Amino acid sequence: MSYSLQLKDLWPSVRLGLLCEQKYGALLNNFSPVDHVTQELELLNATDFVSEAPRKAQRWQRGATAEEAGRGESRAQEGSGEGRTVMRAETMTQAEMSPPLRASISSNIKCYTFPRGDITRFRPARPDSLGLLDYYLMDAASLLPVLALDVQPDDFVLDLCAAPGGKTLALLQTGVCGHLAANDVSLSRTKRLYHILHSYVPKEIRETVSVTSYDGRDWGQLGGGTFHKVLVDVPCTTDRHSVMEEDNNIFHKRRTKERQMLPMLQLQLLMAGILATKPGGEVVYSTCSLSPLQNEHVIERAVEIAETEFNISIHVEDLSHFRTLFQDTFSFFSDCRLGELVLPHLTANFGPMYFCKLRRM
Amino acid sequence: MAGRLLSGCGRAAAVPRALPAAPGLCPRRGCGEAAALRAMGFSEEQARRLLGLQPRLGPQRREAAAAQLLLLGLSAEAALGLLERSPRLLRMPTEQLQERAGELRRLGLDGGQLQRAVSRCPQLFTLPRRRMAAAVRLLRERCLFTAEQLREVLGTCPAVLLEEPRLLHHHFQYAYFRMGVQQKEMVKARLFRMPFAELRNRHIFLERRGLYQTPHKGQTQTSNPKLKDILQLPEKDFLASLAHSTPEEYEVFKKLLAREEKEEEGEEEDRDVLYAEEDEDVDSKGSKRAQE
């Protein structure tokens, strides 16, 4: 497996990242008292990257605008506008913030990570007095698709390929899902999903989640146009494991057919996700692969098919602000045609994670 | 020349042995010895320093050791420096020093090479003979270096003889099997100059970046970077021109690799402990039954 053609000079560092121990983030369980945990984590020098990012962005923004204001002042007494600029930068209103900035602030999701270059590991999760675990260890990059989805209060949310359940749990952590449908075709993986729900989520919240085991491709017929937000986190070649595992490696010759069929499956799942969305609703497609065949190409085909076969107009949303916002935590690829891609890098060994947001017009 | 040097010691032997020979206390002793040393080629200052080493030592020993080193071709300052760093040499019997020098010469170290080797590695003299023979045997019979190659290895990396043979073998095997490097290249690249851990760091760094591949059986041509470059470039240049990476990335890598190593070792130890415990259980059960 080699992505040198696509990633060029970046490939050696990505390959190195894939072959070394990955970095984890601790998704805090908001259903469990979090204060002592945040204290503990902050003592270890970990920070919540989700809330850190907007704070940093505000500072950068303030810094940039103040610079302009400073230059303005030297031209001075021309207009009273200059003085106002500085003040405005300090109190950026919600309306002025970029959508992802707003989304991460209002998401309630908290995820702690150690700084760039810090390879400290988190201790295993511990149960509280009610038996709920305090945090869930996961690849922090997996939260980006959930943040991009930007669930609004009372939204009907569909997680089409929910198992094993990390992103499902993150969706629930927003605390605003009106109803969450968590589906996965694999019964065995769905067991893990149940386990996660029972370990982290109190009964009354679990009751707002319906877990199903349909083939995700059928969802279009089952629930057309009913969801405000749909997450399509498709099965993929899971490059991080593929590059290491010898025996059942999907890049082996005998699994070529399976590998070649994957983009077709992914496309079908995305189509189903689109059909399940209300007009005006949003879909986020994500994979943990570096392959454009599983990423941009699937998006392009889906947009085309939605238009030609279903008369549905799709708008691909711009997520480039994510790159700026989270640049201190993740290593982003800057040359995606569509969507965003987190690249593994030893100093920030998260990902791979590709995600792209679509709006059904 | 040795005879002349030895006769110089005769004068110093007149000193009564009952008194401890403290430097400067007995002017006659000091004068006699210092003169002998100066006759060998040491300056007044150098002689003073030499006399300061292991003051209790008899002058014969001191002069003999110094003489041996000069005979090897070392300069007065170099010989002095060596003795200052390795005072043990002073206590070695002359015959031993001579014998060892002879052995090293037979291995192919001579003239400037021997001087340099000995200066860099004074322990070459004090190394137990069996250890040295084991290292040589390993390099010739297990690693299959030719006599010529061995000579060059000893000339460039004399410390090789001081290595524990097991570790030395492991070092060689890593380069041979894991990196696919032949003896000729190992010698040219001065393989043993770099500590094994550092070699491993650099090699695995390149390998995981996709820049080094273990050659297949029979594969003669590879596009791997030359061992010489991997070993001899200073870290900064290695990172920039060979690995195309940054110091930051390499630092994190070294930490991660060290942790991987530690945990692998821990796992192996756990397995050993596990089996040991199982044996114990069987024993206790057996003995319990016997009691019942």
Side-chain angles (χ1 to χ4, degrees):
Chain A
M1 166 180 64
S2 172
Y3 291 103
S4 50
L5 206 63
Q6 173 202 357
L7 300 176
K8 305 198 200 8
D9 288 343
L10 299 175
W11 172 234
S13 290
V14 172
R15 188 179 195 278
L16 177 64
L18 290 171
L19 290 170
C20 291
E21 181 177 325
Q22 71 177 107
K23 202 168 175 182
Y24 286 89
L27 171 69
L28 290 195
N29 187 8
N30 291 326
F31 301 116
S32 180
V34 289
D35 293 334
H36 69 283
V37 183
T38 53
Q39 253 180 13
E40 180 194 337
L41 293 174
E42 282 174 7
L43 274 175
L44 294 169
N45 214 15
T47 53
D48 171 16
F49 81 86
V50 180
S51 57
E52 258 299 294
R55 277 202 288 269
K56 283 189 195 155
Q58 279 183 335
R59 271 181 270 147
W60 295 324
Q61 192 84 336
R62 220 180 296 146
T65 337
E67 234 181 73
E68 285 171 27
R71 275 183 261 132
E73 268 162 19
S74 64
R75 291 193 299 274
Q77 288 73 36
E78 284 181 43
S80 51
E82 270 75 307
R84 259 191 286 130
T85 325
V86 178
M87 265 181 20
R88 272 184 68 197
E90 309 233 317
T91 49
M92 207 198 280
T93 60
Q94 287 252 332
E96 289 169 317
M97 291 181 204
S98 62
L101 194 52
R102 254 181 293 137
S104 49
I105 295 172
S106 57
S107 72
N108 294 326
I109 289 176
K110 299 178 198 63
C111 181
Y112 277 77
T113 55
F114 288 101
R116 276 196 108 104
D118 185 334
I119 62 168
T120 312
R121 289 176 174 150
F122 289 101
R123 59 146 173 87
R126 284 203 278 257
D128 64 9
S129 48
L130 296 170
L132 295 181
L133 295 174
D134 49 8
Y135 54 56
Y136 179 73
L137 294 180
M138 64 193 295
D139 181 348
S142 299
L143 287 179
L144 297 175
V146 175
L147 289 173
L149 198 57
D150 192 19
V151 178
Q152 295 301 303
D154 299 328
D155 271 352
F156 285 7
V157 183
L158 169 61
D159 189 352
L160 197 57
C161 312
K167 295 186 183 67
T168 321
L169 182 61
L171 286 168
L172 289 173
Q173 294 299 328
T174 62
V176 299
C177 297
H179 181 85
L180 175 61
N183 179 74
D184 200 276
V185 69
S186 157
L187 273 174
S188 62
R189 281 158 56 92
T190 307
K191 276 208 190 91
R192 272 204 64 190
L193 175 58
Y194 274 119
H195 183 73
I196 285 178
L197 291 177
H198 276 82
S199 306
Y200 287 90
V201 184
K203 187 152 178 275
E204 61 274 17
I205 308 290
R206 265 184 277 136
E207 283 166 358
T208 67
V209 184
S210 54
V211 179
T212 52
S213 305
Y214 302 121
D215 183 332
R217 292 173 288 188
D218 298 333
W219 206 280
Q221 300 146 19
L222 292 167
T226 49
F227 292 96
H228 300 97
K229 302 283 170 140
V230 177
L231 179 63
V232 185
D233 181 38
V234 295
C236 62
T237 46
T238 322
D239 291 345
R240 188 178 279 281
H241 298 137
S242 302
V243 78
M244 289 194 286
E245 205 189 278
E246 280 298 305
D247 298 332
N248 203 24
N249 195 311
I250 193 155
F251 287 90
H252 268 171
K253 272 221 177 92
R254 52 188 153 83
R255 290 187 77 184
T256 302
K257 195 109 199 249
E258 193 184 330
R259 195 175 75 245
Q260 287 168 344
M261 297 302 287
L262 209 42
M264 177 58 70
L265 169 65
Q266 294 163 334
L267 175 60
Q268 289 171 329
L269 287 167
L270 180 54
M271 286 314 305
I274 289 170
L275 291 173
T277 317
K278 282 170 136 65
E282 293 170 333
V283 180
V284 168
Y285 173 81
S286 64
T287 75
C288 43
S289 166
L290 296 163
S291 165
L293 288 174
Q294 298 174 45
N295 300 340
E296 288 109 307
H297 289 205
V298 172
I299 301 288
E300 285 163 344
R301 284 289 289 144
V303 170
E304 197 190 312
I305 292 175
E307 183 77 65
T308 55
E309 308 284 319
F310 296 95
N311 215 7
I312 296 175
S313 188
I314 300 283
H315 181 255
V316 178
E317 304 279 274
D318 176 18
L319 293 177
S320 55
H321 292 114
F322 267 64
R323 272 185 266 150
T324 332
L325 204 53
F326 298 113
Q327 64 184 274
D328 274 2
T329 311
F330 304 102
S331 214
F332 285 97
F333 186 48
S334 52
D335 288 337
C336 287
R337 272 198 322 275
L338 297 168
E340 303 299 331
L341 178 60
V342 171
L343 295 176
H345 189 275
L346 274 204
T347 54
N349 207 4
F350 303 111
M353 181 68 41
Y354 173 80
F355 56 104
C356 183
K357 186 169 182 177
L358 307 173
R359 182 143 50 88
R360 176 174 174 167
M361 310 299 282
Chain B
M1 184 174 145
R4 184 159 46 91
L5 293 170
L6 285 171
S7 66
C9 306
R11 249 192 289 159
V15 173
R17 289 267 169 213
L19 291 170
L25 258 183
C26 188
R28 207 187 327 157
R29 173 204 172 255
C31 251
E33 273 202 68
L37 293 171
R38 289 213 313 278
M40 281 159 60
F42 291 99
S43 73
E44 186 146 343
E45 173 61 28
Q46 288 171 335
R48 196 189 55 75
R49 280 160 63 191
L50 195 46
L51 288 170
L53 294 177
Q54 308 242 327
R56 290 249 183 86
L57 198 65
Q60 253 169 322
R61 279 286 185 84
R62 196 189 316 279
E63 286 163 26
Q68 276 307 311
L69 295 180
L70 294 176
L71 276 171
L72 286 179
L74 268 70
S75 68
E77 184 57 44
L80 177 57
L82 193 57
L83 290 171
E84 280 175 333
R85 274 178 288 138
S86 241
R88 259 185 84 186
L89 287 177
L90 285 170
R91 283 194 257 111
M92 282 191 74
T94 329
E95 308 79 55
Q96 244 184 294
L97 285 172
Q98 277 179 322
E99 219 177 286
R100 182 50 59 86
E103 279 162 5
L104 292 171
R105 271 197 208 94
R106 271 195 297 280
L107 286 171
L109 284 179
D110 51 25
Q113 274 189 329
L114 182 54
Q115 265 175 54
R116 276 192 297 275
V118 154
S119 290
R120 225 183 275 146
C121 266
Q123 303 100 304
L124 281 175
F125 276 122
T126 53
L127 176 67
R129 168 192 274 162
R130 215 189 306 168
R131 266 284 287 274
M132 185 168 118
V136 172
R137 223 184 1 258
L138 180 81
L139 291 168
R140 290 281 279 128
E141 294 170 23
R142 307 283 291 280
C143 306
L144 301 179
F145 285 106
T146 65
E148 177 63 41
Q149 287 171 339
L150 179 63
R151 174 142 64 96
E152 206 175 328
V153 168
L154 293 181
T156 53
C157 329
V160 127
L161 294 173
L162 306 171
E163 258 321 323
E164 202 193 301
R166 190 175 56 87
L167 295 175
L168 186 59
H169 199 199
H170 183 69
H171 196 158
F172 168 82
Q173 284 182 316
Y174 188 88
Y176 190 81
F177 293 108
R178 192 88 165 68
M179 295 179 70
V181 178
Q182 304 282 317
Q183 285 83 342
K184 187 164 155 206
E185 207 183 332
M186 288 186 206
V187 175
K188 221 170 58 162
R190 307 185 183 192
L191 173 67
F192 299 106
R193 274 267 189 98
M194 177 176 276
F196 176 67
E198 203 181 329
L199 166 69
R200 190 163 170 268
N201 279 342
R202 291 194 182 192
H203 167 247
I204 296 187
F205 192 63
L206 288 173
E207 190 181 60
R208 292 191 187 178
R209 286 176 77 72
L211 302 171
Y212 198 105
Q213 272 171 324
T214 306
H216 309 302
K217 221 172 177 187
Q219 186 181 353
T220 45
Q221 293 281 67
T222 64
S223 53
N224 290 334
K226 293 275 160 259
L227 183 64
K228 182 158 169 276
D229 293 329
I230 298 175
L231 295 178
Q232 294 178 9
L233 285 172
E235 190 169 285
K236 209 160 54 99
D237 302 318
F238 163 75
L239 291 174
S241 53
L242 230 53
H244 307 294
S245 174
T246 62
E248 200 194 12
E249 207 177 349
Y250 192 49
E251 284 313 305
V252 180
F253 170 73
K254 286 190 281 190
K255 282 191 265 182
L256 284 170
L257 192 63
R259 192 161 69 183
E260 269 180 50
E261 263 274 86
K262 209 168 80 152
E263 286 174 359
E264 237 179 69
E265 272 170 43
E267 271 173 24
E268 284 174 17
E269 276 169 21
D270 286 343
R271 277 201 294 273
D272 294 339
V273 170
L274 190 62
Y275 291 133
E277 281 175 354
E278 284 176 351
D279 288 340
E280 263 170 67
D281 282 341
V282 169
D283 277 344
S284 60
K285 250 192 252 164
S287 57
K288 250 196 189 151
R289 283 225 192 86
Q291 279 172 3
E292 286 164 32

